[in-house]
Amino acid sequence: MSQTVVQDRDAAQTDTKLDVELRKVFKVFNGETAVRGIDLTIRQGEFFSILGPSGCGKTTTLRLIAGFEKPTGGEVLIRGKSMVNVPPYQRPVNTVFQSYALFNHMTVWDNVAFGLRLKKCSKSELQERVGAALQLVKMEAFARRFPAQLSGGQQQRVALARALVNRPTVVLLDEPLGALDLKLRKEMQVELSNLHQELGVTFVMVTHDQEEALSLSDRIAVMNGGRIEQIGSPSEIYEHPQTPFVADFIGDTNLFQGRVGSIYGSTLQVITPKGLEILVKSQQAWADLPSQSKDVVVSVRPEKIHIGASESGESINCYEGTLKHVMYLGTHVHCVVELRSGDSLTVLQPNQSHRLPELHSVVQVYWSAADCLALPV
């Protein structure tokens, strides 16, 4: 099994104030541990995403921040204040659910005003704040309509306005775009990003959609089996995954099980059970490099692999195979190559020649030693 690695050094080194902290948080349901000792820090004004497959504990983590669940162990803090025994309605957070949770018998205006009325705001303040919130999400023209008269995207905007009208410290987003069709989802991603930049409020989003997390987030926590595998910026998570799970879950990658043969400075020679010899130029410090005979997984992204004769004429990471599948994607061509070793390799080539490679032809594939990673098993 891979060793869980958590990288959150930037958060530890920054002087920026924190809006949310989770310290060694556990959550157990009927003897099953859903969240396993999470340490997490979220900065003020940050768009932070918790990403992972179904059942990994990401929604439970969000509910622990919101107060809908109590931790079995550990502590949740918001703006440095412990939330132990603080009920959800007294926490400076508001949640936007995937289902929107709008009141169907109330107008858009009344849905947004609901929380302020519970707080017994004055009529003038209520009018001002509801109007401002609806204007912010461009829904002021729909104030007198009911949720059933709105599209999914419009309902999403109303749910956001209802969360923002209370001026929370943190807005929690639980799969906020999951119920939308693809085109509207893309549009709402842009709007959500613009809204976050305009408000400067801390957003914490739970999603299983990698592209959504990569495009919207300042930082991402990737969860697996109730633990955080890695925390980092979108580029760090994609370009420098620290475990095989993160490499495989974020985007597409080719994984080769192997063992470190020789070490030349910062370059590792990895030998797979089928006899492939792969050279990996590591950016890790010498002390962190896998030792000889250590089991590793080599990850190489499809877009880093080239098809054709190596321009340099070198034989580093250059293999012969048969083109088994070609798919035209417009800007790119997706290929599957079966190597002589029997390994199957996915390759993503930019569409530059407007000429597709011939199916079942014998080709060479190659990549740079600096374009692959050796990850601990």
Side-chain angles (χ1 to χ4, degrees), residues 3 22 28-29 32 75 94 96 125 171 190 230 240 272 278 313 328:
Q3 181 182 359
L22 274 66
V28 179
F29 293 103
E32 295 289 329
E75 190 175 20
N94 271 96
V96 177
E125 183 182 5
V171 175
V190 174
Q230 185 174 347
H240 304 289
T272 73
I278 304 173
Y328 178 74

Side-chain angles (χ1 to χ4, degrees), residues 21-91:
E21 291 180 79
L22 274 66
R23 298 177 180 174
K24 298 287 186 295
V25 171
F26 284 82
K27 181 61 183 178
V28 179
F29 293 103
N30 300 320
E32 295 289 329
T33 306
V35 174
R36 301 172 182 270
I38 283 182
D39 286 302
L40 186 61
T41 55
I42 300 172
R43 307 165 191 156
Q44 286 186 18
E46 189 170 30
F47 198 126
F48 191 95
S49 290
I50 304 173
L51 175 67
S54 297
C56 72
K58 59 186 185 295
T59 296
T60 300
T61 301
L62 197 78
R63 290 175 64 83
L64 287 165
I65 298 171
F68 301 135
E69 303 288 352
K70 290 185 178 181
T72 308
E75 190 175 20
V76 176
L77 297 92
I78 299 177
R79 286 276 171 98
K81 181 182 176 183
S82 175
M83 293 292 107
V84 174
N85 297 323
V86 178
Y89 62 87
Q90 288 184 353
R91 297 190 182 196

Side-chain angles (χ1 to χ4, degrees), residues 9 263 265-266 268 282-291:
R9 291 172 294 183
I263 302 175
S266 61
L268 309 177
S282 178
Q283 296 180 355
Q284 296 167 276
W286 174 259
D288 296 330
L289 286 173
S291 58

